Amino acid sequence: MSVPVTCKDFFCTESHPQPVGIIIFGASGDLTSRKLLPSLFNLFLRGLMPDDFYILGVARTEFTDETFREKVKESLTGDNGKIQDFLERTFYTQGEYDSISLYSDLKWRIKDLEKRFTTKGNKIFYMAVPPSLYLPIVENLGDLGLTSQENAFSRVIIEKPFGFDLDSANELDKKLHMTLKEDQIYRIDHYLGKETVQNILIFRFANSIFEPVWNNRYIDNVQITVAEDIGVEHRAGYYEHAGLVRDMFQNHMMQLLSLVTIEPPSTFDADEIHNEKVKIFRSIRPFPLDDLDSWFVRGQYGRGKIDGKEVVSYVEEPGVNPNSKVETFAAAKFMIDNWRWSGVPFYMRSGKRLQKRVSEIIITFKRVPHSIFPQLPVKNIPSNILKINIQPEEGIVLSFQAKHPGPKLCMSTLTMDFKYTEVFGTRPPEAYERLLLDCMFGDQTLFIRDDVMRESWKIFTPLIKKWESEKDISKLDIYEAGTWGPASSDELIKKDGREWYNAL
Ligand code: BG6
């Protein structure tokens, strides 16, 4: 049974950003055409772009403004007239990222566009390029004064991965800070831009009924699953050096965990929220390296079927080393040693080529302390479960027991469902829209502050180092594509007398 949800008395605030030029490095790439330009265009359609703006794509591929616009057009859908207006503000500069001439060309181009579109010198640079280019690009921009904030703002959005372990992340950060101040660096984690992820804080801190039970007295355990049915696709070059723990756990999964577990910040302000995230990450119990397999299991997909179609194993994917020991799945039990969470296990798992694409957070409450119903022992009264569906069916579901019509003692489990699309009549906007807009506003709440990034790396770096140094003997379980991962993942949670909640 679903209980209808109605939406009333809503409170929305959205300001209008200042004029800005958005300069995208890596403009011929996938991210730009799949996410960045469509998101900017949607903001434009929704009237949320500043009145004065331009977009300048930069990449190595040969394009003129005209041929670039043709490519951009292919990635946009909607009103043709609006597409045309948008394209008229879109430009392109070609060059090699390590060549000084690119940056001097850019300097003049930007000056000219700033005059034409009266953007008052405000700039956002988006690094949609491989990580090895972040630093050289920023240094070159800095040398030409393009990162100066005199009378204007200059912000840099940095894609993940931000470093490959604690040392490399620190090194990159230190060097970026020679050119940029922290308030100019926007480390992106697109999960934070998802509406349902942002909703976690509203749900927790704009309702008084959940906070009293949001702790170890009432919560039995929390599960966070981020499952994908796709494989590594064409990203073997990156993935072979990253693996799932770096690709998903260090960033997206940890951000989800932090939003569920932080203490109420004093205000809805970037620094206040980041301070709480640092505290929670510091409270995570370090994984015991001498007994790691009992806490953290890794797997790699073998052959199997997805939607009835045969798919190859990870090591058979193009560009993957046939002897690769890179993990495409991980499941772990996290403990948070603080007053609120002491004793509550957080089971987290993520993987590629799993049974279905689903991201959800499942909060299982403790059973009632005592059964007043004859013949119905406590263990037969199910726990209340709160499920936060991040994607693809965005929403929230709360289960509870109710009297079933008929005999005097007859009980069943019902759910109260809020489905985003049913209530709001539309799918949530693309995560990048929110994040790009927030960067225009100078709001870093949904970006990762340097110390938050560092604390997260501190948790994973010892594990990654251990697995890498013992590559040939470290446990890596092969699982059949199209399942929920290796048996060891089920065992990890079964040991505690619990099981994974697998989405149907
Ligand atoms: C990216 C990872 O950050 O997130 C990918 O690099 C992953 O490997 C993707 O597929 C998942 O994002 P989403 O929004 O599709 O859940």
Side-chain angles (χ1 to χ4, degrees), residues 14-18 48 155 186 434 436-443:
E14 193 86 275
S15 333
H16 205 63
Q18 294 181 49
L48 293 173
R155 300 175 183 143
Y186 287 69
R434 178 76 262 156
L436 285 160
L437 191 57
D438 278 2
C439 182
M440 292 184 230
F441 288 136
D443 180 348

Side-chain angles (χ1 to χ4, degrees), residues 6 14 57 154 181 183 236 249 251 261 341 354 357 362 366:
T6 50
E14 193 86 275
S154 177
K181 297 209 177 74
D183 70 3
F249 263 73
N251 33 65
T261 55
W341 296 116
L354 297 183
R357 174 174 184 256
I362 305 214
K366 289 189 171 161

Side-chain angles (χ1 to χ4, degrees), residues 73-245:
K73 198 173 173 185
E74 287 165 20
S75 59
L76 308 180
T77 48
D79 181 319
N80 259 332
K82 287 279 185 194
I83 293 184
Q84 215 39 52
D85 292 349
F86 184 78
L87 292 178
E88 278 166 21
R89 293 162 175 271
T90 307
F91 301 86
Y92 186 80
T93 292
Q94 185 273 338
E96 294 295 326
Y97 296 116
D98 55 0
S99 125
I100 300 292
S101 66
L102 168 65
Y103 300 91
S104 39
D105 286 354
L106 271 180
K107 189 170 178 175
W108 293 116
R109 194 84 209 260
I110 289 173
K111 239 199 180 120
D112 175 51
L113 292 170
E114 276 174 351
K115 230 192 258 154
R116 234 160 111 184
F117 292 95
T118 53
T119 52
K120 303 186 176 160
N122 293 330
K123 296 177 270 298
I124 291 178
F125 297 100
Y126 200 115
M127 301 291 138
V129 288
S132 58
L133 294 172
Y134 301 159
L135 196 58
I137 294 176
V138 167
E139 285 173 346
N140 277 305
L141 294 174
D143 289 349
L144 289 180
L146 287 166
T147 54
S148 147
Q149 298 220 86
E150 223 173 290
N151 306 321
F153 66 74
S154 177
R155 300 175 183 143
V156 180
I157 304 183
I158 308 231
E159 265 295 332
K160 64 179 266 276
F162 194 95
F164 270 76
D165 55 17
L166 181 61
D167 289 345
S168 56
N170 272 337
E171 184 69 12
L172 172 62
D173 207 44
K174 204 169 90 195
K175 293 194 171 148
L176 284 175
H177 276 106
M178 291 178 177
T179 307
L180 303 169
K181 297 209 177 74
E182 183 60 21
D183 70 3
Q184 293 179 276
I185 306 178
Y186 287 69
R187 297 174 196 81
I188 205 164
D189 180 323
H190 78 281
Y191 264 61
L192 291 176
K194 292 182 191 272
E195 280 279 323
T196 38
V197 173
Q198 294 170 58
N199 188 37
I200 300 172
L201 288 187
I202 306 258
F203 182 81
R204 286 190 60 197
F205 301 128
N207 293 297
S208 63
I209 59 170
F210 300 110
E211 178 55 21
V213 296
W214 210 261
N215 55 49
N216 54 9
R217 288 181 60 203
Y218 292 96
I219 292 180
D220 179 78
N221 76 91
V222 178
Q223 295 187 17
I224 302 182
T225 295
V226 176
E228 296 186 277
D229 53 3
I230 55 169
V232 68
E233 300 189 299
H234 55 277
R235 299 167 70 219
Y238 153 73
Y239 208 82
E240 277 283 274
H241 291 106
L244 187 120
V245 173

Side-chain angles (χ1 to χ4, degrees), residues 401-416:
Q401 322 318 318
K403 163 97 175 59
H404 198 278
K408 189 167 171 196
L409 182 55
C410 189
M411 210 180 268
S412 59
T413 303
L414 306 186
T415 57
M416 280 201 283

Side-chain angles (χ1 to χ4, degrees), residues 68 186 264 284 356 369 387 398 417 452 478:
F68 183 61
Y186 287 69
I284 290 176
K356 67 185 285 192
K387 192 148 83 76
L398 176 66
D417 288 21
V452 176
I478 304 298

